[in-house]
Amino acid sequence: MDNDQNNGLLRLTGLAGILCGLFIPGVIIQIPVTGWFPAEALNNSTIIEWLKMISLQKGLVLTGIGFSILAIISFFVFGISLSQVLPKNNWSKNLASSLNIAGASLALAAFVLAYGFTWALIDLQNASALSNSIELSTIASVSLRGFLWGDDIGTTLIAISNLFFAVSAYKAELIPKWLYGWAIIAAILVCAALLRYFAPILEIGSIGY
């Protein structure tokens, strides 16, 4: 690969990495409205209030999810372009590429599901006599659980892929030691956050996102 092509891929990787930050406005937009699809809303006593809240802010909620979908697509581009820059026949790069594709695919599927079911739930909430029923609450709870688990597992795979990308890049002397260290810390935190449903204290690992 010549220098011009390599530099072009590096710029594309950097741009994709920046666009991954679209998660930030996506979260900021949704937190005041949805609580970022809160796990604590997954019970019949609170889910109806959550549905009422998102039904009043349909455009805002769907825009926030849209930003997240764009960020996940950027993860695909980031992983593919970075794998072209890193040395060939490298086990850590190959493993990272596989995990990136698997994690981004799962996360993308979760957020596309979230976009669709949120839109459908809002329509049901606004147009149906089921707005205070156990049936609508159950539908919402099942949908949310599918989203949360898909997103969490996908995010964990992406974090682990970033760790192995960092291993390969550090060996190739493409990144500084502190960035390699942060990749290790972030992967540990995100993996710990996946277990928060069983040990709530591990919720602190979510800062690794």
Side-chain angles (χ1 to χ4, degrees):
M1 184 182 297
D2 59 44
N3 286 334
D4 288 342
Q5 186 178 5
N6 193 59
N7 290 335
L9 284 170
L10 283 173
R11 285 192 290 269
L12 178 61
T13 302
L15 177 61
I18 293 171
L19 291 177
C20 289
L22 288 172
F23 261 121
I24 296 174
V27 172
I28 291 174
I29 287 172
Q30 291 179 82
I31 281 180
V33 181
T34 68
W36 189 237
F37 297 104
E40 57 272 16
L42 300 183
N43 59 74
N44 292 335
S45 63
T46 61
I47 198 72
I48 293 300
E49 291 304 315
W50 180 82
L51 287 168
K52 290 178 180 178
M53 187 180 300
I54 65 170
S55 69
L56 296 174
Q57 300 286 347
K58 178 178 179 178
L60 200 60
V61 173
L62 295 179
T63 298
I65 299 173
F67 273 116
S68 299
I69 290 173
L70 290 174
I72 295 170
I73 292 172
S74 298
F75 274 112
F76 274 115
V77 178
F78 175 83
I80 293 171
S81 58
L82 184 58
S83 67
Q84 298 300 309
V85 173
L86 295 173
K88 295 182 178 180
N89 300 320
N90 183 299
W91 71 268
S92 56
K93 183 203 76 169
N94 294 335
L95 178 58
S97 297
S98 299
L99 290 172
N100 175 271
I101 292 172
S105 297
L106 186 55
L108 183 61
F111 272 92
V112 170
L113 169 67
Y115 193 93
F117 82 66
T118 300
W119 196 332
L121 288 173
I122 290 172
D123 288 344
L124 283 172
Q125 170 70 23
N126 289 337
S128 175
L130 292 174
S131 60
N132 291 309
S133 72
I134 188 67
E135 288 87 352
L136 182 55
S137 181
T138 300
I139 293 170
S141 296
V142 171
S143 300
L144 282 168
R145 289 180 189 277
F147 162 76
L148 287 168
W149 274 104
D151 177 43
D152 285 344
I153 295 173
T155 301
T156 301
L157 291 175
I158 290 172
I160 297 173
S161 79
N162 288 342
L163 170 59
F164 284 105
F165 272 135
V167 170
S168 182
Y170 183 66
K171 288 182 178 178
E173 300 183 345
L174 294 174
I175 62 171
K177 191 172 184 178
W178 69 266
L179 190 56
Y180 173 53
W182 174 242
I184 296 173
I185 294 171
I188 292 172
L189 289 173
V190 173
C191 288
L194 183 64
L195 302 176
R196 69 186 183 277
Y197 299 107
F198 308 103
I201 193 173
L202 294 177
E203 178 73 33
I204 191 173
S206 297
I207 63 174
Y209 287 0

